[in-house]
Amino acid sequence: MSLETLSETRSFGGTQGVYRHASQATGTDMIFAVYLPEMALHGRVPVLWYLSGLTCTHDNAMTKAAAQQWCDEAGIAIVFPDTSPRGEGVANDEAYDLGQGAGFYVNATQDPWKPHFQMWDYITAELPDLVAENFAVDADAMGITGHSMGGHGALTIAMTHPDRYKSVSAFSPIANPTESDWGRKQLTAYLGEDRDTWRAHDASILMAEKGYPGEVLIDQGANDQFLDLLRPESLAHAMMARRQPGQFRMQPGYDHSYFFVQSFMADHVFWHAERLI
């Protein structure tokens, strides 16, 4: 698969790059970012996938999450994909929480979304193959994390493919979308009215039904302005009922912003590094 380099910049001893490619999964051009630590000059390194939230592109977390320093120190790469297909001819909605910038990491089965909104396949199959082919990363040592909608994606993907993702964490994930206005609207639009098809994309349901074979790290801001939409208590209860190994941390005073993500990014990077290296 051909890859176009849009930029490459030295950062904390490693290289922060931005790239574009023609995606077969989405039928559009897609842009993503990869940070390679200095250690990648000497061989393949583990890779952490960071899935972003509503309205974000690859750029938001790349520039605001403050991950590069910690990734270089830990010796792991980090990938920042986009959150949806984009461009002329791609369906969209006037609301910020549906359409472009709001792919919800599912494969849409409903029109007008179905032709391009195949983000599950893009994130779990096509883009990992492309990254492994073009960068010095170890495809057998992958972890996944994300924020908000991206935390939802990270958890559901990891619990569905635990053999593929050796570590998982999340920042303020949309934890119970089948019971939230951040979820029911999007899952209806992308997957249709049959609620049974939604279950595979609800982290609280997946945690109750199957869990994750390793430890899970969740950080949630206690002053998050979107707590009623995120429903963290549903995921916490499912983890406790299952006796899922890991940590669910309510962080006092923190909201939903990238300042919250920045504050705990080092913890998450080193959490993954310990499980991937």
Side-chain angles (χ1 to χ4, degrees), residues 120 124 156-166 210 212:
W120 181 279
T124 64
T156 57
I157 286 171
M159 284 189 278
T160 303
H161 296 292
D163 55 333
R164 192 176 306 171
Y165 299 91
K166 309 302 183 186
K210 62 177 62 179
Y212 182 74

Side-chain angles (χ1 to χ4, degrees), residues 40 56 58 170 190 267:
C56 290
H58 71 282
Y190 295 142
D267 288 359

Side-chain angles (χ1 to χ4, degrees), residues 18-268:
V18 178
Y19 309 93
R20 178 165 52 210
H21 73 110
S23 168
Q24 293 182 358
T26 68
T28 66
D29 284 350
M30 297 291 288
I31 296 176
F32 66 97
V34 179
Y35 178 76
L36 288 176
E38 188 172 13
M39 194 174 294
L41 295 173
H42 309 290
R44 292 189 175 273
V45 297
V47 57
L48 177 60
W49 293 83
Y50 183 100
L51 306 186
S52 294
L54 288 167
T55 75
C56 290
T57 69
H58 71 282
D59 185 72
N60 297 78
M62 180 184 75
T63 57
K64 295 180 180 179
Q68 289 84 353
Q69 178 180 359
W70 310 120
C71 286
D72 194 74
E73 185 173 331
I76 66 174
I78 188 167
V79 181
F80 304 102
D82 202 347
T83 56
S84 78
R86 301 176 189 272
E88 186 177 350
V90 177
N92 201 12
D93 190 272
E94 292 182 358
Y96 74 94
D97 59 355
L98 185 66
Q100 296 186 36
F104 254 74
Y105 305 103
V106 303
N107 286 340
T109 60
Q110 307 298 305
D111 290 329
W113 315 105
K114 182 178 177 180
H116 301 294
F117 281 73
Q118 303 296 310
M119 289 301 294
W120 181 279
D121 284 351
Y122 178 69
I123 294 296
T124 64
E126 183 179 23
L127 191 55
D129 287 348
L130 180 69
V131 169
E133 179 181 335
N134 289 276
F135 301 94
V137 302
D138 183 356
D140 294 323
M142 295 200 306
I144 192 166
T145 188
H147 175 227
S148 194
M149 179 183 72
H152 139 82
L155 291 168
T156 57
I157 286 171
M159 284 189 278
T160 303
H161 296 292
D163 55 333
R164 192 176 306 171
Y165 299 91
K166 309 302 183 186
S167 59
V168 61
S169 71
F171 300 85
S172 52
I174 299 175
N176 190 200
T178 62
E179 300 299 331
S180 168
D181 288 342
W182 270 0
R184 288 178 297 210
K185 171 184 177 179
Q186 295 83 0
L187 295 175
T188 300
Y190 295 142
L191 302 180
E193 299 283 351
D194 183 359
R195 291 177 63 94
D196 284 343
T197 66
W198 302 1
R199 297 176 64 85
H201 300 285
D202 188 305
S204 296
I205 291 174
L206 290 178
M207 181 59 69
E209 292 182 347
K210 62 177 62 179
Y212 182 74
E215 295 178 282
V216 174
L217 174 61
I218 310 291
D219 272 314
Q220 172 63 62
N223 284 23
D224 194 312
Q225 59 271 46
F226 302 116
L227 280 174
D228 290 343
L229 293 166
L230 301 172
R231 294 180 56 84
E233 66 279 3
S234 297
L235 180 58
H237 291 161
M239 289 178 67
M240 289 297 293
R242 181 170 194 86
R243 300 179 181 176
Q244 169 69 44
Q247 299 179 43
F248 193 112
R249 310 190 304 192
M250 291 294 292
Q251 302 290 1
Y254 286 91
D255 62 11
H256 198 70
S257 70
Y258 274 102
F259 294 109
F260 162 65
V261 174
Q262 291 173 9
S263 299
F264 300 99
M265 178 56 72
D267 288 359
H268 285 247

